[in-house]
Structure formats: C-alpha cells, structure tokens
Amino acid sequence: MKTSILEFSTFDDITLWTNLKEGDEKSFSMLFERYYADLVSYGNSLSPFHEKVQDCIQDVFTDIWVYRNSLQPSVVVKAYLLSSVRKRIARLHERDHIFRKATNTDSIAFLLEFSVEHELIDDDYATKEKVTYLNKLLNDLPPRQKEALYLRYHQGLTVEQIAEMLDVNYQSASNLLYRGLMALRKEWKGSFSLFLLLSSSSF
C-alpha cells in the first residue's frame, strides 16, 4: 500500500533525508514544503531582492536533488538548509560584485526586524508599550548579534550550528548571543521573561 501524504507529514527529518538520498521524490517535496517558509524568511533577512532569494532557495533544493548521492547521511536538516541558503546568497552577492569573496558572508547585513507577537501578552496599553520598546531594543542591536539571536530563539539552532552558519568558532558565536542578551537585559525593564518573549518572536 502506498504511503499517504498524511503519513509522510509525520516523518522526522532524518527519515525524509534518508529517503531523499535514495531518490524518493515525496520525501524531497515534503522537506521543501516543511522548510520553505523559514528559508524565505531567513533569506529575505539577508537580501532585499526577494525574487532572487526565492531563486537561491530553488537552486539549493535543485542541488540537493541532483547531488543527493553525495550528501552526508546524517545532518541536522534545518541547519543544513539555512546554511546552504546563506552561502548561496553570498555567492549571488559576489556575482553582483558586492562582495570580494564568495565564501565571505561576514558582510551580509541582517535586515529583518524583530516583532514580538502582541497576541501572546496581556492585552493592555502598558504591556503593548513594553513590547514595542523590546522590539526597538532588539532592532538596535548590531546585525550579527541580532542574527545570532534570531537563529537561536526563532529557528531553534544550537550554538554549534550558529557558529558553523556564521563561519565563526563556538566561542565567538556564544559571545554574540551573550552580548546581545546582556545589551537587552541592561535596558529591558519589562516584567515578562525575556527568553519567553524572544522564543515567541516572529520576523
């Protein structure tokens, strides 16, 4: 009996990745559908050219399918896809003569702004004022710190995965997160948990 779409939707990433490597088109499509929105959101944070971002994402998945036999058998799929999109956008910028090196992603500015969900907090004016203030604090952070916080609290990546994506060592990635959080804590006077608000952010 054929596997239904509903059954495929319950498969974990590793199962889908393994099936994809074996040439299963449904698993490939499922991973594309599962992460496309996240990849678009992240890609748009690195480039203002949204149509080119979508092209980059399509190229990443095309490469995955074409070169599926040479893919690593065990990866953290979400981190792998986010990293691949970041590198593809860097190469796009390099072709447009914005960057000198295709492998250098340091100069990519993190463009998206944090926007904490108002619906998750009590619906009163004072609270909304505090949420607006927190959004301002987040968006005033240096781009690398803001991107690190985005990857950690919105995309759920580990420090190791963030370090790999940003092409820095573990300590540098940890420092980015620490400095970002310390800058927020220094100014944040809200009564709500900073970590809860960050984890509930949308971009």
Side-chain angles (χ1 to χ4, degrees):
M1 185 175 67
K2 293 183 178 180
T3 306
S4 69
I5 297 297
L6 180 60
E7 288 174 312
F8 262 93
S9 69
T10 64
F11 285 0
D12 60 39
D13 286 355
I14 294 299
T15 300
L16 293 175
W17 186 259
T18 301
N19 291 346
L20 155 64
K21 280 178 57 61
E22 294 174 355
D24 186 84
E25 293 185 15
K26 287 185 178 179
S27 294
F28 172 79
S29 298
M30 184 60 63
L31 284 176
F32 180 87
E33 293 171 5
R34 181 173 293 181
Y35 288 116
Y36 182 74
D38 282 337
L39 296 175
V40 168
S41 177
Y42 183 55
N44 287 341
S45 77
L46 302 173
S47 171
F49 306 109
H50 300 328
E51 289 186 2
K52 290 185 177 181
V53 166
Q54 293 180 42
D55 289 342
C56 286
I57 295 169
Q58 294 282 352
D59 288 344
V60 165
F61 276 95
T62 297
D63 283 351
I64 286 174
W65 181 253
V66 171
Y67 301 109
R68 60 187 180 276
N69 291 330
S70 60
L71 295 173
Q72 293 293 324
S74 180
V75 299
V76 179
V77 175
K78 187 175 187 179
Y80 178 88
L81 292 174
L82 290 168
S83 180
S84 296
V85 168
R86 195 179 206 279
K87 291 174 182 176
R88 178 72 64 167
I89 290 173
R91 289 200 291 273
L92 171 69
H93 286 310
E94 192 271 339
R95 287 199 302 270
D96 291 341
H97 306 291
I98 297 176
F99 298 117
R100 288 170 294 184
K101 295 182 180 179
T103 56
N104 182 9
T105 59
D106 291 346
S107 301
I108 299 178
F110 189 75
L111 303 174
L112 286 189
E113 293 191 350
F114 279 75
S115 179
V116 175
E117 296 282 359
H118 287 194
E119 293 82 0
L120 298 175
I121 339 272
D122 292 340
D123 188 21
D124 62 79
Y125 180 75
T127 296
K128 289 183 179 179
E129 266 194 334
K130 291 176 181 178
V131 170
T132 299
Y133 181 57
L134 175 58
N135 287 337
K136 180 181 183 303
L137 293 179
L138 287 163
N139 291 309
D140 285 344
L141 290 174
R144 296 279 278 182
Q145 292 179 16
K146 186 163 65 168
E147 183 175 7
L149 289 173
Y150 168 87
L151 293 171
R152 180 73 183 96
Y153 292 101
H154 186 68
Q155 295 294 354
L157 270 58
T158 66
V159 178
E160 292 90 342
Q161 292 161 358
I162 293 170
E164 183 176 352
M165 282 195 61
L166 301 185
D167 196 24
V168 299
N169 60 36
Y170 179 94
Q171 189 59 52
S172 295
S174 181
N175 288 344
L176 285 171
L177 291 166
Y178 176 79
R179 289 169 185 162
L181 288 173
M182 288 303 100
L184 293 176
R185 286 177 176 172
K186 182 179 179 181
E187 301 296 334
W188 174 244
K189 304 297 190 292
S191 58
F192 296 98
S193 167
L194 187 60
F195 288 101
L196 175 61
L197 290 175
L198 284 173
S199 299
S200 303
S201 297
S202 64
F203 296 77

